[in-house]
Amino acid sequence: MSVVLVGAGPGDPGLITVRGLEAVRSCEVLVYDRLVAQELVDEAPPWALRIGRERLSQEEISELLVRYGQAGLAVVRLKGGDPFVFGRGGEEAIALAEGGVPFEVVPGVSSLSAVPAAAGIPVTHRGVSAQVTVVAGHAPGALDYEQLAAAAGTLVVFMGLGGLDLLVDGLIAAGRDPETPAAVVENGTLPEQRVVTAPLAELAEAAIGLSPPALVVVGDVVAIAEAIHPEVEQVLARA
Ligand SMILES: C[S@@+](CC[C@H](N)C(=O)[O-])C[C@H]1O[C@@H](n2cnc3c(N)ncnc32)[C@H](O)[C@@H]1O
């Protein structure tokens, strides 16, 4: 396969898949995202060409993948989490298909459920939440708060830290209970992981000082972390 779109997992380098790691270890060109662990970049052969995300626009990356793919090189596009969950993997796959380049997608462990799990939060817990709503929060003014506040179960917000106060205000104004348990998980699955939990109305204040990458979780499942978290900490400590 000429180009492989690989999910690197949510942060901890041990959470890439076996197939994804095999692809990295045998690539000739590695194009990687900012959120990808350096340990995984180091898994590529020493002679492989390494291209980091910072210097290139998304369009330039897609062009690059097509160009190297058309040249028949073994290219790995390594992206944080899963390539198709807020990862722009779809755009890259379309560019490759249009360029006539054979490609494969190796899914990754998305932060969607893995980051809450690392904080002891099961996004679906029997009898508590049978539904998960997932949104991007980088433009909180564009969200449909009536719909979000009315949705049952768990709300997971990607890229929501920067506009967290607007997000919280929007949800409460649209009718979500201000006492709903809520959390922000920073650097989930990594040794420097930090977790803040608070009632929804107090979440933005509680999260002051946290930085991206961070995931926001709103819903009664957050309260379950109290029962699970000590064991989670032990698991992380052994890792
Ligand atoms: C551009 S999205 C990429 C998501 C990725 N494709 C996935 O499946 O997890 C980046 C956002 O994912 C979330 N995220 C990714 N890794 C994270 C981590 N280790 N801890 C907390 N949030 C994370 C944050 O909301 C971050 O702003």
Side-chain angles (χ1 to χ4, degrees):
M1 195 59 61
S2 181
V3 179
V4 191
L5 306 179
V6 177
D12 180 331
L15 293 175
I16 192 171
T17 64
V18 171
R19 195 187 305 181
L21 188 56
E22 280 170 0
V24 171
R25 285 179 171 159
S26 58
C27 75
E28 295 168 292
V29 180
L30 180 69
V31 186
Y32 61 95
D33 262 355
R34 190 173 44 84
L35 285 178
V36 167
Q38 184 60 39
E39 289 92 328
L40 292 177
V41 176
D42 293 344
E43 288 285 346
W47 56 85
L49 175 63
R50 290 163 168 75
I51 301 169
R53 170 78 172 84
E54 293 84 356
R55 288 169 280 154
L56 300 167
S57 69
Q58 183 60 49
E59 290 65 33
E60 288 171 323
I61 288 177
S62 292
E63 279 171 29
L64 208 77
L65 297 178
V66 170
R67 192 149 31 92
Y68 284 124
Q70 285 173 339
L73 290 166
V75 183
V76 165
R77 171 64 171 135
L78 189 58
K79 306 174 76 80
D82 182 272
F84 281 7
V85 179
F86 296 125
R88 307 193 72 169
E91 289 158 66
E92 294 170 4
I94 289 170
L96 290 164
E98 287 177 351
V101 178
F103 69 94
E104 181 190 357
V105 180
V106 178
V109 176
S110 177
S111 58
L112 164 57
S113 59
V115 164
I121 303 169
V123 289
T124 64
H125 187 79
R126 192 172 165 83
V128 178
S129 169
Q131 180 176 317
V132 182
T133 303
V134 183
V135 293
H138 61 282
L143 293 173
D144 182 343
Y145 289 102
E146 302 292 328
Q147 196 185 51
L148 291 181
T154 308
L155 172 64
V156 175
V157 186
F158 283 73
M159 300 165 277
L161 190 59
L164 188 56
D165 47 352
L166 294 176
L167 179 85
V168 165
D169 289 350
L171 287 171
I172 293 174
R176 193 87 196 223
D177 183 352
E179 292 299 315
T180 308
V184 178
V185 186
E186 174 198 70
N187 282 315
T189 76
L190 291 165
E192 58 269 31
Q193 170 174 304
R194 287 197 289 175
V195 184
V196 162
T197 57
L200 180 59
E202 294 164 30
L203 188 65
E205 197 181 339
I208 288 172
L210 297 189
S211 313
L215 201 75
V216 180
V217 188
V218 179
D220 290 338
V221 291
V222 172
I224 294 164
E226 280 176 30
I228 294 178
H229 200 236
E231 176 57 19
V232 167
E233 281 183 331
Q234 284 169 23
V235 170
L236 287 177
R238 278 200 300 272

